[in-house]
Amino acid sequence: MFRILKVVPISLCLIFSLAFSDCFAQGLLPVPADNTSSAGSSSAPAAQIPLVLKKKKQKNSKETARKSMHTRDSVFLALSRSDTSGATLLQHLQQYTTTFNQINNTLGEGLDTTDESQQLPTVIKRIGRIKILANTRKSSTLRYLFVLRDNLDHLQDLMNGWQTNLDSVNAKLISNQKEVLRFQSDSLLKNLPGDSTIRAAFLEKKIEVLKLWKKTDSANRKNLFRVYLIQSKISTAFTAMIDETDQIDSKIKRFAIRALGGEFDYIWKRNDQFSHLDSAMNGTMALNQVQVNYFFKNETIVNIISIAFILLVIGWILYNKYNTLRHIDQKQIVIEHTHFVYKKPLVSALLLSITIIPYFYDHPPVFFLECLFLVNIILVLIMVRDHFPISLFRFLFALFWITVAYSLSNLLIQITNADRYLVFVLSILSIIFGVLFYLQTKKEPQEHLKYTRLTLWIFIILQAISLVLNITGRFSLAKIIGTTAVFNLWMTMALYFIIRIIIQVLYLQLHTNRAAHSIIALVDYNSIQKKFRSLLALFASLLWVVFLLENLNIDDWVHDYLVDFLGQRRLVGDSSFTYGGFVSFFLVIWVSSMLSKVISYFYDISAQHNTDLSALKKKNRVSTLLIRIGVFTVGFLLAVAASGFPLDKLTIIFSAFGVGIGFGLQNVTNNLVSGMILAFEKPIQIGDIIEVNNRMGTVKEIGIRSSKLATSEGSEVIIPNGDLISQNVVNWTLSNTNRQVELSISVASGTEIAKVTQTLKDLLTNRSDIMNHPAPQIFLNGLTDKSIDFKVQFWAADISDYLELRSRVLVNISEIFAKEGIQLPKS
C-alpha cells in the first residue's frame, strides 16, 4: 500500500506533464513567446520563411514527438512495475500487435497468386478449344489425337503446380485466421487491472489492438475468399480437363481398334468420307503454328539450356582437337584414331548434341522434333559421304527424300486418300532401294558395317508389312510401321556415329591431359575404350528403344504401364514390396560397384605406372580396398533406402546371413575378414614384391575376397586373402626395396687368394648400381684340389633391377679375370 501511494503522485505528475507537453506540441495551449521570436514572426509571412528554418522546425517536431513517445513508455513501464498483472496484460496486447502487424505486412505485399489469376482464363479457353477440336475432327489421325493429349498433359502439369502453390497460400491464410480468432476468444484480456490508472492505459491499448484486429480480420477474410474462388475455378477446369483426357483416351482406343480392322477398303477403291488434302494441310499448318508459338513461349529456359549444350559440345570437341594436335608429336597416329572428329569436328559436335537435345523436353511439338531429325540425317549423310562406300551414300541419299516425304505425311492431322497413296508409293520405293543396296553389300561385304545386311532385312520386311497393310485398308498401321522403319534406320546410323565420336573425343581428351602431365595421362586408353564402349552401346540401345516407342506412338502407354507395374505393392506374409524397389536396389548396387571400381582405378593408377617403389610412399597411401569397401557399403545402404525396404528389417537379414556364414560360408568369410586385416594392418601393399606358396611376383590388386599377383613369367596368380594371412609370406619390399645379390665364384687351384679378393673388391666398390652401405663382401667359401671357391655378396638398391645387375656383374668379373690372368677351374 505504501509503494502504491508512493508511485501514484509520481505517475500523476508524469501524466500531467505529458499532457501539457502534447498540448503545447499540438497548439492547443499558447506557447510562451520571447521577444526575438515574436518580432521575427510579425515582420515576415510564413511563405517567406527560409527552407533551413522549416527543416529545423520539422526536426524539432519529430524530436518532440519522439520524446513524448518515450515519456509515455516510461509512464507505462513505471505503472507496470507497480502492478505485475497490468504488465502481463500490456505485454499480451503488445504480442497481438506484433502478430497483426506481421500479418498485415504479408498481406500488403500481396500473395503469390498472380500467375493463377492471369493465366487461368487462357487455360480455360484452351481446354474448351481442345474439346471442340477433339469432337469436330471425325477423320483425325492418331498423331492428331496424341497432339491434343500432349496439350492436356501440359495443362495438367501446370494446374498441378498451381494447386500446390494455392494450397500453401491457403494454409498460410488459415494460420493467420487462427491467430485472429485466438484474440477474440482470449479470456485473459477480459480481466482488468485493479489500479484505475493502469486500467485506463490498458483499455486505451486494447482499443488500439481491437481496431488493428478488425482490419487484419477483414483483410485476411478477403484473401481467403479470393483464394477459394481461384481454387474453385481451377478445380472446375481440372475436372473438365480430366474428362476430356478420358474422352481422348477412349478415342485413341477406338482408333486402335478401327486401325486393326481397317479404316479404308482396298486401295483400288476410293473412299470419299475422309478429308481432302487441302483441308488437311490447312488444319495441319494452323495447329502446328499454334503449337510452335506456345512451345517457344513456354520453353524458354529449356531452349537456352539446349543452345548452351550445343555450344558446350562444340567447344569441347574443338578444344581437344586443336590442343592435342598442338602439343603432341605423333599427329598422324592421333588422326588415324580420331578421323571423324579430326576431319569433321563441327559436324560431329552438332550430330552428338542434336541427337540428345530432344530428350531435354517433355513432349515437344512434332514439327520441332522432325526439324531436328532432318538436320540430324543431313549430318549423317555428310559423315557417310566422307568415310563409307559410295553405295551406302547413294542408298541413304535416296532414303533421305523418302524420309522428307514421310515427315510431311506424319504431320498431317487428318486422314486423306492422297496421303494413303503417298505412303503406298513410299513403301514401294523403300523396298526397291533396300533390295538394290542389299545386293550391292553382297558384292562388297568387307567395306560395310558388320550388321548392315541384317538391318536392311529388317527395314525391307517392315516396309513390306506396311505395304500389305495399306493395300488391305489398314492405313494408319501402315503409316506408323513405314515411318518407324525409316526413322529408326536413320537413328541406328546416328547412334553408330555418336558412339564413335564420343570414343574419339575421349581419346583426344586423354592425349590432351597427357601433354599437360595430368593424372589422366596415366589412364590405359585401350581398357577404358572397351568398357566405355559397352556402356555407350547400352545407353544407345535404350535410346533407340525409346525412339522406337515414340514412333509407334505407344511411349506414353508403355510409361504408364511400367509405372503402375513397378509401383504396385505386393504382399508376402506381413511384408510388402514393389518390383520398382527391386529395380532401384540393383541399379544403385550396380552404380556403386562401378563407382568403387572407377575411384579405386584412378586412385591406384599412379602407383601402377610408377617405378618408384619406396616404402615411405606406399605406407602413405591408403589402401584402395578400404575405398571400395566404403563405397560399396554406402551404396548398399542407399540401395536399401531407395528400394523402400524397412531398415529395421535389416537385422533379420543380417541374422540369417550370419547363420549362413556360420555353416556354409566359412572360407568366404575367412577371405573377407582377411581382406579387412590386410587393409588395416598393411602387411603387403600394391606394388610389393612378395613370395607365397613358392610363387614370386608383384602385387597388382588387393580385392575384397582375393588378391592378384603378377609373376615375372607374365602370368597372373589369384591368391585368396586367407592364404596371405595364414601362410608364410615373404615380402621383399616391406621396409625397403633393397635386395641382396649373392654370387658363387670359383678360380683355378693355385691362384693367389689375396689377388682374387682385391680384384673383386675393386670391381664392386664405387659403383653407382651397387649400394656402398652395406658394403660388398667377399668370403672364401671352399678349397679343393681343382678350385678355390668364393662367395660374393652385394646389395641392389632396387629389387626390380637385381637380375639385370647380377648378370652385369658376372660379365664384368669374366672380363676382369681375363684381363688379370686369373684362370677359372678346369672341369
Side-chain angles (χ1 to χ4, degrees), residues 404-415:
V404 173
Y406 265 118
S407 299
L408 295 175
S409 173
N410 197 40
L411 289 174
L412 292 177
I413 64 174
Q414 299 177 35
I415 298 176

Side-chain angles (χ1 to χ4, degrees), residues 687-819:
D688 281 348
I689 299 176
I690 66 172
E691 186 175 351
V692 57
N693 292 334
N694 297 323
R695 289 192 176 270
M696 183 175 180
T698 304
V699 179
K700 290 297 182 182
E701 181 182 345
I702 303 176
I704 299 175
R705 188 193 64 83
S706 62
S707 300
K708 187 182 295 183
L709 193 69
T711 64
S712 58
E713 293 86 3
S715 63
E716 293 185 351
V717 182
I718 308 300
I719 303 176
N721 289 334
D723 293 347
L724 297 177
I725 296 297
S726 61
Q727 300 291 331
N728 293 326
V729 178
V730 179
N731 192 336
W732 292 94
T733 56
L734 179 61
S735 300
N736 53 59
T737 60
N738 305 336
R739 172 70 185 265
Q740 187 185 60
V741 183
E742 184 174 293
L743 301 177
S744 295
I745 306 297
S746 298
V747 297
S749 180
T751 306
E752 187 178 351
I753 296 176
K755 181 181 179 181
V756 175
T757 303
Q758 189 61 40
T759 302
L760 292 174
K761 282 187 177 181
D762 294 340
L763 176 65
L764 298 175
T765 55
N766 298 324
R767 290 176 61 120
S768 59
D769 53 355
I770 295 178
M771 296 178 62
N772 294 323
H773 302 284
Q777 294 178 323
I778 296 95
F779 301 98
L780 184 62
N781 195 35
L783 294 172
T784 64
D785 56 348
K786 293 182 179 180
S787 65
I788 302 174
D789 300 327
F790 294 89
K791 180 182 289 186
V792 179
Q793 294 178 345
F794 56 90
W795 288 83
D798 193 343
I799 190 174
S800 60
D801 298 332
Y802 90 97
L803 290 176
E804 182 182 356
L805 177 60
R806 185 177 187 277
S807 175
R808 189 164 56 247
V809 170
L810 286 173
V811 171
N812 294 335
I813 290 175
S814 175
E815 292 174 351
I816 197 67
F817 278 6
K819 183 179 178 180

Side-chain angles (χ1 to χ4, degrees), residues 138-189:
K138 295 182 180 180
S139 59
S140 301
T141 62
L142 186 62
R143 172 68 67 184
Y144 178 70
L145 294 175
F146 275 112
V147 167
L148 298 179
R149 172 65 185 273
D150 290 342
N151 278 273
L152 290 176
D153 289 341
H154 283 294
L155 294 178
Q156 183 176 353
D157 294 338
L158 180 64
M159 284 193 283
N160 283 332
W162 287 354
Q163 287 179 337
T164 302
N165 181 53
L166 288 175
D167 288 341
S168 175
V169 172
N170 191 56
K172 187 183 297 183
L173 292 174
I174 291 175
S175 176
N176 294 342
Q177 197 63 28
K178 289 180 179 179
E179 293 293 333
V180 172
L181 295 177
R182 189 165 66 89
F183 172 79
Q184 190 177 12
S185 60
D186 194 343
S187 59
L188 183 63
L189 298 178

Side-chain angles (χ1 to χ4, degrees), residues 51-121:
L51 182 61
V52 177
L53 295 178
K54 286 186 178 181
K55 289 183 178 180
K56 288 183 178 180
K57 288 184 177 181
Q58 292 176 358
K59 184 177 181 181
N60 292 334
S61 63
K62 291 180 180 180
E63 291 179 354
T64 303
R66 189 178 294 110
K67 289 180 180 179
S68 301
M69 181 179 65
H70 287 320
T71 305
R72 286 194 296 268
D73 292 341
S74 300
V75 173
F76 289 140
L77 182 61
L79 293 173
S80 63
R81 287 175 179 172
S82 63
D83 191 346
T84 55
S85 61
T88 303
L89 291 174
L90 289 174
Q91 290 177 358
H92 205 53
L93 289 175
Q94 187 61 38
Q95 290 176 358
Y96 279 116
T97 302
T98 304
T99 301
F100 294 157
N101 284 330
Q102 290 177 352
I103 294 175
N104 285 319
N105 290 336
T106 303
L107 297 178
E109 293 175 356
L111 301 175
D112 188 15
T113 58
T114 306
D115 292 341
E116 293 83 347
S117 301
Q118 295 179 352
Q119 298 182 26
L120 183 57

Side-chain angles (χ1 to χ4, degrees), residues 398-410 419-433 459 463 466-467 470 479 482-483 486:
L399 191 64
F400 169 76
W401 298 108
I402 295 175
T403 307
V404 173
Y406 265 118
S407 299
L408 295 175
S409 173
N410 197 40
D419 190 20
R420 185 186 184 188
Y421 299 143
L422 175 64
V423 173
F424 176 77
V425 174
L426 293 177
S427 298
I428 294 176
L429 292 176
S430 299
I431 294 173
I432 293 173
F433 288 129
F459 172 75
Q463 288 294 347
S466 174
L467 182 64
N470 199 358
K479 184 176 180 179
T483 305
V486 174

Side-chain angles (χ1 to χ4, degrees), residues 242-258:
I242 293 297
D243 292 339
E244 190 58 35
T245 302
D246 294 338
Q247 293 290 333
I248 293 178
D249 288 339
S250 300
K251 288 188 176 184
I252 291 174
K253 293 179 181 179
R254 292 196 299 269
F255 188 95
I257 296 173
R258 190 174 70 248

Side-chain angles (χ1 to χ4, degrees), residues 176-227:
N176 294 342
Q177 197 63 28
K178 289 180 179 179
E179 293 293 333
V180 172
L181 295 177
R182 189 165 66 89
F183 172 79
Q184 190 177 12
S185 60
D186 194 343
S187 59
L188 183 63
L189 298 178
K190 297 178 181 180
N191 300 325
L192 293 176
D195 186 84
S196 59
T197 306
I198 301 176
R199 187 188 309 120
F202 168 73
L203 292 175
E204 181 181 359
K205 186 68 174 177
K206 186 175 180 180
I207 292 172
E208 294 178 1
V209 175
L210 186 62
K211 293 179 180 178
L212 183 60
W213 169 77
K214 290 182 179 180
K215 177 183 176 182
T216 306
D217 181 58
S218 176
N220 199 71
R221 289 178 182 273
K222 288 180 180 178
N223 282 279
L224 271 172
F225 184 71
R226 182 165 63 88
V227 171

Side-chain angles (χ1 to χ4, degrees), residues 1-37:
M1 186 68 180
F2 178 76
R3 183 179 300 175
I4 295 175
L5 292 175
K6 185 177 180 180
V7 170
V8 167
I10 300 175
S11 303
L12 292 175
C13 293
L14 289 173
I15 291 173
F16 281 111
S17 63
L18 178 60
F20 278 102
S21 64
D22 285 343
C23 291
F24 284 127
Q26 296 176 10
L28 299 177
L29 294 178
V31 180
D34 54 10
N35 297 330
T36 307
S37 61

